[in-house]
Amino acid sequence: MLIDSPLREAHIAEFRRRLPEHVARLSWSKERVAEEQQRGLAATLAFAKAKSPWHRERLRDIDPATFAMRDLGTLPAMTKADVMDHWDAIVTDPRLTLAKGNAHIVAKPHHEAESLYYLDEYEIFATGGSSGKRGVFIWDWPEFIEIACVSCRYQARDESNESLTGRRCLAVIEAGETVHGSLFLFTVSPDPDAEVISLPAATQKDALVAALNQAQPTHINAFASAINLLAGEALAGRLTIRPRHISTNSEPLLPETRDQAREVWGVEINNVWGCVEVGLIGVECDAHKGLHLTDDLIITEFVDGDGAPVSDPEAVEKVLVTSLYNRAMPLIRYEVTDLAIPTSEPCTCGSPFPLLKDVRGRADDGFRYGEAIIHPLVFRTPLGQHPMVEEYQVHQTADGADIAIVTRGAVDLDRLTADLVADVSAAGLANPRITLSTVDALKRHAETGKLKRFIPLKA
């Protein structure tokens, strides 16, 4: 599925006008980046305090004009639960409500929404995230442009002129529905002459391989697990493509996936890390020394369990982010669920933006049933877009899955089960047995307290 409308075309045109300025930022000095962070923080705090009732109370004792970066630790952190519990008071446009946002999300997959842009200026997404707790988040018109520029600026800087000659085709293997931000974001190419095709990551393996063999993409942007699957198919001789550039996102990128891509295609993967809440927090350049933090647009704090900054990277227990460009839904010291490890080592590419050496997210591995592999997105889409499903945990069984859900209201379990059976069947597992049960709380790891959302069947 490709997003095609006059609004989309106008949006991408604005992105391409902004991209050269973003590429120029990669040559900024560290002092210039720090100045931009401070300027952005003051503007963000002032806007949030003026326009968001929830933030007005939270920030009542601070003066945005004099608030310094070093003072961030005095503010409490935000969580996804805060956002969902106070959604209508956090947003800055009174026309936006959680009820209307949920209605828009539910209407989109069924082609019942008037436009994929809510009120012609917002993109609204549902996400289960790596925690499995449902969230609803907004990108306004300028925010999407900034996120898209961040996703493409290193590629626009690093890609040689030689690779921009001849036929270019970008294959995007991401979400299949517009309830997810990946379909909006990663179908954008910095190359205006590139053909773009979109294939859902949940596509059955044989169909996905056939489509790629026919398209012969020169560039691929995909979930990390999709690249792992494709590399295996290439090693087996069934996938015969020669991509020149591969970018991964949304899931932990395993070392063996990098090794396989290098072996079968002779390319190094460019990984990105982010979340729908704030966009891309880290982006890998062609030097492949780590992921560059997006310090000009996002303040990232690495803290211990109590929220205090840590000097030892291995002591990081939480990551807090402050978006300096999200105006529709200000997120200030927002706790992301992935764990990232910073490094003080500079990158050889010359960028002033510091590096992450590792992102230790929760792996969303597909469930394997014989030859069939069911991508987590197959379960995530119907569960994550349902407005009454607050959290979920999927346990693989020999012939399907047992799914526990925490609800915030009435759920038609029979209909939701039927939707899941249909989706899993379409993804390649014949006659799956899917059971749904409501619980008060999901089971967490006894020692760490962490939640594993997709639990595979033990061998």
Side-chain angles (χ1 to χ4, degrees), residues 37 89 97 176 198 295 297 315 323 326 351 396 444:
Q37 278 193 324
T97 68
S198 178
D295 273 6
L297 295 169
S323 171
N326 185 334
S351 169
Q396 183 186 12
R444 294 179 177 270

Side-chain angles (χ1 to χ4, degrees), residues 42-60:
T44 296
L45 293 173
F47 189 89
K49 192 171 183 178
K51 299 292 186 179
S52 164
W54 190 78
H55 280 295
R56 186 177 303 124
E57 173 62 23
R58 182 174 178 241
L59 304 174
R60 66 183 183 278

Side-chain angles (χ1 to χ4, degrees), residues 246-364:
I246 298 176
S247 179
T248 54
N249 59 78
S250 302
E251 298 169 343
L253 176 60
L254 303 177
E256 50 265 37
T257 302
R258 284 191 183 272
D259 293 341
Q260 284 187 328
R262 193 181 301 117
E263 178 183 354
V264 297
W265 296 306
V267 299
E268 296 286 346
I269 291 175
N270 294 79
N271 194 28
V272 302
W273 170 57
C275 56
V276 72
E277 292 96 312
V278 298
L280 299 183
I281 306 168
V283 180
E284 185 174 355
C285 73
D286 278 0
H288 303 290
K289 301 297 183 182
L291 283 77
H292 287 280
L293 286 168
T294 311
D295 273 6
D296 53 332
L297 295 169
I298 299 172
I299 297 172
T300 307
E301 300 174 74
F302 303 94
V303 300
D304 63 17
D306 296 323
V310 296
S311 56
D312 178 7
E314 295 301 324
V316 174
E317 295 184 50
K318 295 180 182 179
V319 178
L320 307 177
V321 292
T322 297
S323 171
L324 303 180
Y325 58 101
N326 185 334
R327 293 294 182 260
M329 177 183 278
L331 297 176
I332 300 167
R333 304 199 83 217
Y334 179 81
E335 182 179 338
V336 298
T337 51
D338 287 335
L339 184 62
I341 307 301
T343 177
S344 59
E345 293 295 322
C347 184
T348 56
C349 81
S351 169
F353 299 106
L355 294 174
L356 296 169
K357 70 175 181 179
D358 192 15
V359 178
R360 299 171 183 172
R362 294 179 175 90
D364 275 353

Side-chain angles (χ1 to χ4, degrees), residues 183-234:
L183 190 59
F184 266 90
L185 178 60
F186 295 116
T187 51
V188 174
S189 171
D191 179 1
D193 297 321
E195 175 190 357
V196 180
I197 65 169
S198 178
L199 300 164
T203 303
Q204 291 188 45
K205 180 175 62 178
D206 291 347
L208 182 60
V209 169
L212 291 172
N213 280 337
Q214 181 178 1
Q216 288 296 305
T218 58
H219 296 63
I220 297 177
N221 202 323
F223 290 151
S225 59
I227 296 300
N228 189 66
L229 181 149
L230 295 179
E233 290 299 290

